[in-house]
Amino acid sequence: MSFLTTLDLGILTYVQEFWRMDVLTVWFKQISSLGNNGLIWVVLGLALLAMKKTRMTGLLVLAALIVMLGINDAVLKNAVQRIRPFLVDPAIKNLVQAHGYSFPSGHTASAFAAAGVLWQRSPKWCGAAALLVAVLIALSRIYLGVHYPSDVLGGALIGSGIAWLVVKLYKVAQNRLSWF
């Protein structure tokens, strides 16, 4: 077993033994469900489309989610093929169902892709609130035993990078195409 996997499993074991309690389990299940299929972020992106002032931000949130889906789920998960922690170590108990490969965390990547766009394009309080939700979703995946901490870190970095790239490409296009 690699050093990273051993470290990841050690952290998961610590969380499972010392942090799990009924009230947190209920709360983290709810937080995690916000990220199911990126639904909260898709709904938020669609809601932003409804107002002219926030329409482009909504489009960028949705674009970041689409790019994330292509890179994270279609390419990276299949290239890395990391097995979920509860399948590697039977001592790790998953508290929700999770399917497919583990790295990188799709819940986390979508949360940071959308929150990263909002951080760059919205009032700071709005971006900070979105980032807080993204962090909580990421932590929930570790707490619930369905991702290694390194899966979550990878998802956060990938999602943040996609957010930065999508906004940067929009700014470049906006500068080059005056009608955009």
Side-chain angles (χ1 to χ4, degrees):
M1 196 176 319
S2 75
F3 171 76
L4 179 60
T5 301
T6 302
L7 179 64
D8 276 339
L9 288 172
I11 293 168
L12 286 170
T13 300
Y14 177 81
V15 168
Q16 182 172 287
E17 290 179 9
F18 296 105
W19 285 88
R20 282 191 180 168
M21 58 185 79
D22 291 343
V23 67
L24 283 179
T25 297
V26 169
W27 192 72
F28 274 124
K29 282 181 177 181
Q30 292 300 315
I31 293 295
S32 183
S33 71
L34 291 175
N36 290 350
N37 300 313
L39 189 60
I40 187 175
W41 308 112
V42 171
V43 169
L44 183 60
L46 292 172
L48 291 169
L49 290 177
M51 297 170 279
K52 186 174 183 178
K53 182 178 179 181
T54 59
R55 190 164 294 140
M56 186 51 67
T57 299
L59 283 172
L60 293 175
V61 165
L62 295 172
L65 291 171
I66 291 167
V67 171
M68 185 287 306
L69 187 64
I71 291 173
N72 197 74
D73 291 7
V75 176
L76 292 174
K77 279 187 181 274
N78 291 314
V80 176
Q81 296 185 1
R82 190 175 197 193
I83 305 301
R84 300 248 178 205
F86 58 88
L87 296 173
V88 170
D89 184 349
I92 303 299
K93 304 298 180 206
N94 57 310
L95 300 178
V96 295
Q97 293 298 314
H99 306 284
Y101 296 117
S102 189
F103 181 88
S105 167
H107 276 71
T108 304
S110 62
F112 276 86
V117 169
L118 293 169
W119 176 258
Q120 294 176 77
R121 302 256 323 155
S122 301
K124 288 304 173 205
W125 68 267
C126 183
L131 285 174
L132 176 61
V133 171
V135 167
L136 291 173
I137 288 172
L139 291 174
S140 77
R141 304 307 283 170
I142 296 168
Y143 179 90
L144 297 171
V146 293
H147 279 290
Y148 296 98
S150 59
D151 297 341
V152 167
L153 178 60
L157 292 172
I158 291 161
S160 297
I162 288 169
W164 177 84
L165 181 65
V166 165
V167 172
K168 180 71 172 174
L169 289 174
Y170 167 70
K171 288 178 181 176
V172 167
Q174 187 180 33
N175 288 339
R176 293 199 176 154
L177 307 169
S178 60
W179 53 270
F180 194 58

